[in-house]
Amino acid sequence: MNRLLYFSLFANVVLLVLAWHLRTPQVEMTRELRAVASNTVFSPTRPAQRDDRNPSLPEATLIWDRIETSDPAELIARLRAAGCPETTIRDIVTFRVCREFRNRLLSAVAQQQWAMDYTKRSSWNESHKYLSSYGQDLRNEMIYTLESLLGEPWQTLSASLTGWPGTPDNWQATLSIDQRRDLRALETRYRELRMDFQMSSITGTLDAEDVARLTESDREQQARLAEILSPQQLSDYLYRKSEAAEYVHRNLPPAQSESEFRAMVDVALELGMSNVRDRAPSIGMETAEDPEWTIARDQRKTALDEQLKQALGDQRFDEQRREQDSLVEAETQRASAEAEQRERAEFIARAESLGVSAEDAGLFMNRLEELQPALEAKFTELEQALTGTPEEKQQMMMAAVRAELEQIAVETVGEQGIELIGQMLEQQE
Amino acid sequence: MITPTRQATPVEPEAPHVPLTPDPAVEEIPFHWSQIESTDYREYVANLRAIGCPEQMIRDIVAADLISLYRSRVEAIWQPTHHAYWEKGRQTPADADQRQQLMELNSEKSAVFEQLFGSPLNQQEILDTVVLQLHGSERELLFLSPAVREVALHALEESGLQQQLEIESRGGSRDYQKPFDEKMEILADVLTPHELDEFRLRYSPTAQQLRNELAYFDYTPDEFRTILDSRKENSDSSLGNLADRTAATEQIRELFGDERADEFERVTDILYMNARQPLENAGLPVESADTAYQIASETIRQAQQLVQDASLSVETRQYEVQALKDRALTEVAAIMGEKPSKQLQKSLRVFMHAAESSIEQP
């Protein structure tokens, strides 16, 4: 039984408490906008009224009827003829088209929901698959419609309405609208094909037949890409979005330059490396993996390292490994320091809510840290001495940990320490 | 007091009124957009209404306008770190202070919208619309008629439960029952008993778990409801344990008798499910799933007996367990086929590894 489990148990309890505590953040508006151009004082309780309108506007309320049309292209033309700014036209049309497609999605999914036998898992699986597939097709159609109507890439159109800060990566801006459409359809199709393999990869049940199918699928995809994209565009795509590029980002040390990165991706492409094919099984699934498959994966990794050495040179290869180790070490330390600070803050907040001062709560945490080596040794000894079923042993260990924590808590914070420990352990349960 | 202003969007200089299209049926539009534009949101909204612009479109125009107006202020507080495609950069999330400032800005923006239209700006709704996604309560309530669905969604939104659930799910909360119970309480005020019951049968955590369990059990919708109601009344958490079907089988025995209970015990065992599912997925006959399941479960039973046999040395027990495992893996592969048997082999390895690990060292 893992002794560290009991210490992390304490931290996890505190984290749960914090998650509960921060469930409903309170926000206050404290700033005012710039002064209005008009001298009229705006009353927050009065909505916009007809009298607020520009008096030069004609009285007739059917003006919009002369603009309104179900054809978005015609709507754009009429708005332009009326002098509507391009950005406003973009917003109006994007919203309208998105809402229309959304209604189609809602209608289709609702139909399916009404018709399904919801007591059967198979019906749910079919429904989920349908929603995923149909939704993606509809999304692709919507994007193509908007890009065709407005002449701007989807990343720009969507960012203007979602308000996501920063400039979206628009490498696809050099592609034509039809190229972008075909690329989206292709990516959707092969992403769906790859999903079946991803689950096998996670659970360690990917086998040679799967790998062969995956390799063939990748080859097909690349051939189709070459039909859609020019050689330069294909090159840009592979270095940005291929399975090999994603593998390099996720598994290899960071490149110092663009040319170095491209050299690494070239090697990964040559060997057909991918996160689906080459990932280690999830923790706990190692024993489920086919031993032969483990060997094959390790051999591929060895081949990758050898070819990277050739591409980058031994010196640079070793440098990269050292840089990676330093980064991992720095990241681990940073994460650990952050976690420790967070745990401390959470514990102090919890303690204060029970009337324990922040100072005393800090003393308790410090004392726990000081005693950790001794407590670990004590619990190790205890664990080895315990007898009974695994459940009985666990209960006895929990009781022992609780008793120790309560004793330390009482010594440092007083009698409220017992309640503090009790509440946190109850919360954990 | 909020005093909203907007940046009037540059318009084309006022042009003489000309027909829009060559279509002689289309009359010239008797206004120019410059007459609508205003730095005062109240006036802008009133002008749009005055020309008969649909209310939803006005809300969309103003929402987009506000998002654009506030964007530079958002970016001044925080924006994602830009990395070139070849760089392996770490995205630095907003710190606590920045998050606070962003939330305040968001509230300010929403307050402007609320003062104009009587309800706050729903950014989630905009996001769902733009990226064409369905999730959460909106998806769950799709089985209702549109009118009832709208009332139900409104009730959930008014209660604040939606936002609370989203914050909890972003925080990685795994408690599914409590939020579901809270949702049921709110919906009880707006749905009929039949509608509420259907919501429960579709979306309660117990119902979702039960559907997975019963994947290969032959049952009617009424029987499903009976089992679900029985689970609801019984707080025994081991009912859902796929590795130990004792409690769940007894429940079925009480409800439907011995024959159904025996069938239930067999087809809801994780080993059976792992044998059957790959055969179905591959379009192969499922009869061999039974035989493979028998081999796997008997192997595990024998292994569990072996590891407790103190009359045997540790080495002997380890050797025998390994031999049992190897024999079983070979047999299930032969019966089901190598590939379809992978999932069952995986489960078998996990169970046998657990058995081996429990052999106590002297």
Side-chain angles (χ1 to χ4, degrees):
Chain A
M1 202 176 291
N2 189 353
R3 280 81 63 200
L4 290 176
L5 168 68
Y6 299 104
F7 293 100
S8 70
L9 170 82
F10 198 72
N12 286 336
V13 164
V14 179
L15 282 171
L16 279 171
V17 168
L18 182 68
W20 167 79
H21 189 61
L22 292 181
R23 201 167 41 189
T24 50
Q26 299 299 316
V27 176
E28 287 188 19
M29 290 185 301
T30 57
R31 294 181 57 193
E32 287 190 8
L33 293 178
R34 294 184 297 268
V36 292
S38 153
N39 286 330
T40 309
V41 171
F42 180 75
S43 162
T45 60
R46 183 171 74 86
Q49 294 175 358
R50 191 171 169 71
D51 289 346
D52 295 321
R53 69 180 177 85
N54 184 340
S56 75
L57 275 173
E59 285 289 341
T61 57
L62 297 177
I63 295 169
W64 191 262
D65 287 352
R66 296 179 197 170
I67 294 181
E68 182 60 66
T69 168
S70 59
D71 179 349
E74 182 62 28
L75 178 64
I76 292 171
R78 293 181 185 186
L79 287 168
R80 280 188 182 138
C84 183
E86 282 302 312
T87 48
T88 307
I89 294 174
R90 180 197 65 197
D91 296 338
I92 289 171
V93 172
T94 304
F95 262 123
R96 171 167 286 200
V97 170
C98 286
R99 286 193 191 287
E100 279 171 7
F101 274 84
R102 191 146 201 277
N103 287 339
R104 281 170 62 179
L105 181 66
L106 285 170
S107 174
V109 177
Q111 288 284 341
Q112 225 215 9
Q113 291 283 307
W114 296 330
M116 69 188 280
D117 176 358
Y118 55 78
T119 65
K120 297 282 196 242
R121 183 180 79 168
S122 53
S123 290
W124 283 93
N125 289 348
E126 275 166 29
S127 170
H128 179 77
K129 213 167 172 175
Y130 171 78
L131 174 63
S132 177
S133 175
Y134 179 68
Q136 187 60 58
D137 288 345
L138 214 56
R139 194 174 294 113
N140 288 348
E141 187 188 334
M142 179 185 80
I143 292 171
Y144 178 66
T145 303
L146 283 167
E147 287 189 340
S148 301
L149 282 169
L150 297 166
E152 288 186 77
W154 172 243
Q155 286 82 355
T156 305
L157 295 174
S158 55
S160 73
L161 294 185
T162 59
W164 184 249
T167 311
D169 176 20
N170 248 337
W171 76 270
Q172 292 192 30
T174 59
L175 306 184
S176 70
I177 292 173
D178 285 346
Q179 279 181 310
R180 290 202 287 268
R181 175 200 58 198
D182 293 342
L183 197 57
R184 272 191 300 275
L186 190 74
E187 285 175 340
T188 300
R189 174 157 180 262
Y190 282 94
R191 191 167 43 243
E192 284 173 1
L193 279 175
R194 214 167 273 126
M195 268 169 65
D196 290 338
F197 297 116
Q198 270 173 349
M199 189 44 70
S200 300
S201 171
I202 288 168
T203 56
T205 53
L206 206 62
D207 63 15
E209 193 184 323
D210 291 331
V211 169
R213 282 168 57 203
L214 199 51
T215 307
E216 184 53 32
S217 163
D218 286 348
R219 198 171 299 133
E220 267 175 26
Q221 184 182 8
Q222 206 149 323
R224 284 285 294 124
L225 281 168
E227 290 170 13
I228 296 169
L229 304 173
S230 70
Q232 180 59 51
Q233 289 168 339
L234 177 61
S235 171
D236 285 342
Y237 180 90
L238 291 175
Y239 286 125
R240 283 170 172 76
K241 297 193 78 179
S242 64
E243 285 287 300
E246 288 187 24
Y247 177 86
V248 168
H249 271 307
R250 200 180 287 193
N251 298 284
L252 299 184
Q256 256 183 0
S257 66
E258 186 178 8
S259 60
E260 184 172 280
F261 175 76
R262 288 187 168 216
M264 292 160 78
V265 172
D266 286 341
V267 171
L269 275 169
E270 179 71 32
L271 291 171
M273 305 301 286
S274 82
N275 289 314
V276 174
R277 198 179 5 253
D278 295 292
R279 71 183 289 166
S282 303
I283 295 172
M285 294 287 181
E286 299 94 332
T287 52
E289 193 178 54
D290 185 339
E292 279 183 23
W293 184 239
T294 311
I295 294 169
R297 193 186 54 244
D298 291 344
Q299 283 173 344
R300 285 164 56 76
K301 183 67 170 62
T302 304
L304 175 72
D305 285 347
E306 280 168 10
Q307 292 208 26
L308 281 173
K309 267 190 198 170
Q310 284 177 23
L312 304 176
D314 285 354
Q315 189 179 346
R316 179 60 195 142
F317 180 85
D318 291 339
E319 253 177 34
Q320 270 197 345
R321 280 347 182 234
R322 285 196 296 274
E323 284 166 13
Q324 175 81 337
D325 291 342
S326 300
L327 277 173
V328 167
E329 175 66 26
E331 177 61 27
T332 307
Q333 285 179 0
R334 186 199 62 78
S336 176
E338 259 185 29
E340 205 180 300
Q341 272 187 352
R342 207 168 40 239
E343 285 163 19
R344 184 171 278 262
E346 287 158 9
F347 178 77
I348 289 173
R350 180 66 172 160
E352 283 183 317
S353 74
L354 291 175
V356 174
S357 71
E359 194 187 347
D360 283 349
L363 282 174
F364 171 79
M365 294 290 283
N366 293 342
R367 187 78 183 123
L368 202 59
E369 275 174 41
E370 279 170 25
L371 292 174
Q372 187 171 339
L375 286 173
E376 268 194 47
K378 187 174 181 179
F379 289 134
T380 304
E381 208 181 311
L382 176 63
E383 189 185 1
Q384 285 167 358
L386 288 176
T387 56
T389 66
E391 290 76 20
E392 285 168 351
K393 284 194 218 178
Q394 186 173 8
Q395 280 176 7
M396 286 191 272
M397 281 301 292
M398 285 296 298
V401 167
R402 183 177 186 141
E404 282 292 340
L405 291 175
E406 283 177 351
Q407 186 181 340
I408 298 167
V410 166
E411 282 169 7
T412 46
V413 309
E415 289 301 318
Q416 306 102 305
I418 295 179
E419 191 186 347
L420 182 61
I421 302 298
Q423 283 192 17
M424 287 182 165
L425 291 175
E426 271 173 28
Q427 188 78 24
Q428 172 73 6
E429 283 161 16
Chain B
M1 178 167 31
I2 301 293
T3 51
T5 62
R6 63 182 290 272
Q7 292 170 354
T9 316
V11 299
E12 292 299 317
E14 184 147 355
H17 295 302
V18 292
L20 276 176
T21 68
D23 184 347
V26 176
E27 297 176 33
E28 60 183 53
I29 297 171
F31 85 105
H32 192 270
W33 201 271
S34 56
Q35 295 172 287
I36 294 173
E37 283 288 339
S38 170
T39 55
D40 185 331
Y41 274 113
R42 294 175 302 143
E43 193 175 317
Y44 189 45
V45 169
N47 290 344
L48 285 167
R49 283 185 180 141
I51 62 168
C53 183
E55 190 65 14
Q56 180 64 62
M57 190 175 288
I58 298 175
R59 293 170 73 105
D60 289 345
I61 291 170
V62 171
D65 204 86
L66 280 169
I67 287 167
S68 173
L69 184 69
Y70 277 78
R71 191 192 178 98
S72 57
R73 291 169 69 184
V74 167
E75 288 176 346
I77 294 169
W78 175 85
Q79 53 181 300
T81 318
H82 173 71
H83 295 291
Y85 75 91
W86 58 270
E87 288 176 314
K88 191 180 193 171
R90 187 172 168 268
Q91 196 53 255
T92 310
D95 62 34
D97 186 49
Q98 286 169 325
R99 283 199 303 274
Q100 180 64 26
Q101 289 182 62
L102 289 171
M103 283 166 76
E104 286 171 7
L105 207 60
N106 216 39
S107 296
E108 188 182 305
K109 182 171 48 173
S110 184
V112 172
F113 193 87
E114 185 162 9
Q115 290 185 41
L116 292 167
F117 298 105
S119 59
L121 180 63
N122 189 338
Q123 296 228 187
Q124 185 62 54
E125 190 261 339
I126 292 174
L127 188 64
D128 290 346
T129 300
V130 171
V131 303
L132 206 60
Q133 66 184 11
L134 291 176
H135 64 95
S137 300
E138 187 180 29
R139 185 172 169 176
E140 288 173 351
L141 299 176
L142 274 174
F143 72 96
L144 297 168
S145 68
V148 175
R149 189 192 316 149
E150 203 175 313
V151 171
L153 284 171
H154 182 72
L156 288 171
E157 210 171 294
E158 285 284 292
S159 72
L161 181 64
Q162 269 309 108
Q163 287 150 321
Q164 185 184 317
L165 289 176
E166 273 169 36
I167 289 169
E168 281 177 359
S169 76
R170 279 200 291 273
S173 168
R174 291 271 187 254
D175 181 4
Y176 300 117
Q177 190 61 49
K178 188 161 168 288
F180 177 78
D181 291 340
E182 287 173 3
K183 210 178 259 192
M184 286 284 284
E185 269 182 42
I186 294 162
L187 291 175
D189 289 338
V190 297
L191 299 184
T192 64
H194 174 75
E195 286 165 345
L196 193 68
D197 195 45
E198 185 160 339
F199 179 75
R200 179 181 69 94
L201 288 167
R202 285 175 184 263
Y203 292 106
S204 72
T206 312
Q208 294 187 61
Q209 185 187 330
L210 197 58
R211 273 189 291 272
N212 279 330
E213 267 183 70
L214 301 181
Y216 304 119
F217 185 58
D218 190 17
Y219 60 93
T220 64
D222 283 340
E223 285 175 337
F224 179 84
R225 177 195 293 278
T226 305
I227 301 170
L228 183 64
D229 289 344
S230 178
R231 290 266 171 118
K232 190 181 163 197
E233 286 159 19
N234 190 329
S235 60
D236 184 352
S237 60
S238 70
L239 284 168
N241 186 350
L242 292 177
D244 181 355
R245 302 272 68 205
T246 312
T249 303
E250 280 318 296
Q251 185 190 51
I252 298 299
R253 200 180 302 283
E254 283 169 27
L255 291 172
F256 304 124
D258 288 341
E259 200 176 320
R260 298 295 299 286
D262 291 343
E263 172 73 7
F264 175 87
E265 188 176 29
R266 184 174 64 88
V267 302
T268 63
D269 190 308
I270 186 73
L271 292 172
Y272 179 84
M273 292 165 91
N274 281 342
R276 180 154 167 180
Q277 188 180 9
L279 288 169
E280 278 189 350
N281 290 348
L284 296 168
V286 301
E287 288 74 24
S288 57
D290 268 325
T291 313
Y293 160 69
Q294 295 294 339
I295 291 170
S297 54
E298 178 59 20
T299 300
I300 292 167
R301 191 192 63 77
Q302 288 180 20
Q304 286 168 342
Q305 276 185 333
L306 253 174
V307 301
Q308 300 295 331
D309 188 350
S311 69
L312 299 173
S313 70
V314 167
E315 290 77 18
T316 302
R317 280 182 273 173
Q318 284 172 342
Y319 176 82
E320 292 295 335
V321 167
Q322 181 72 31
L324 273 175
K325 179 179 86 176
D326 291 343
R327 194 158 54 239
L329 290 174
T330 305
E331 284 176 9
V332 300
I335 288 165
M336 292 175 63
E338 185 64 41
K339 191 171 171 64
S341 68
K342 286 282 182 202
Q343 205 162 317
L344 178 60
Q345 287 189 46
K346 180 195 84 172
S347 293
L348 201 47
R349 284 199 183 93
V350 171
F351 276 108
M352 297 302 276
H353 179 75
E356 270 179 293
S357 303
S358 69
I359 296 174
E360 286 189 0
Q361 299 292 333

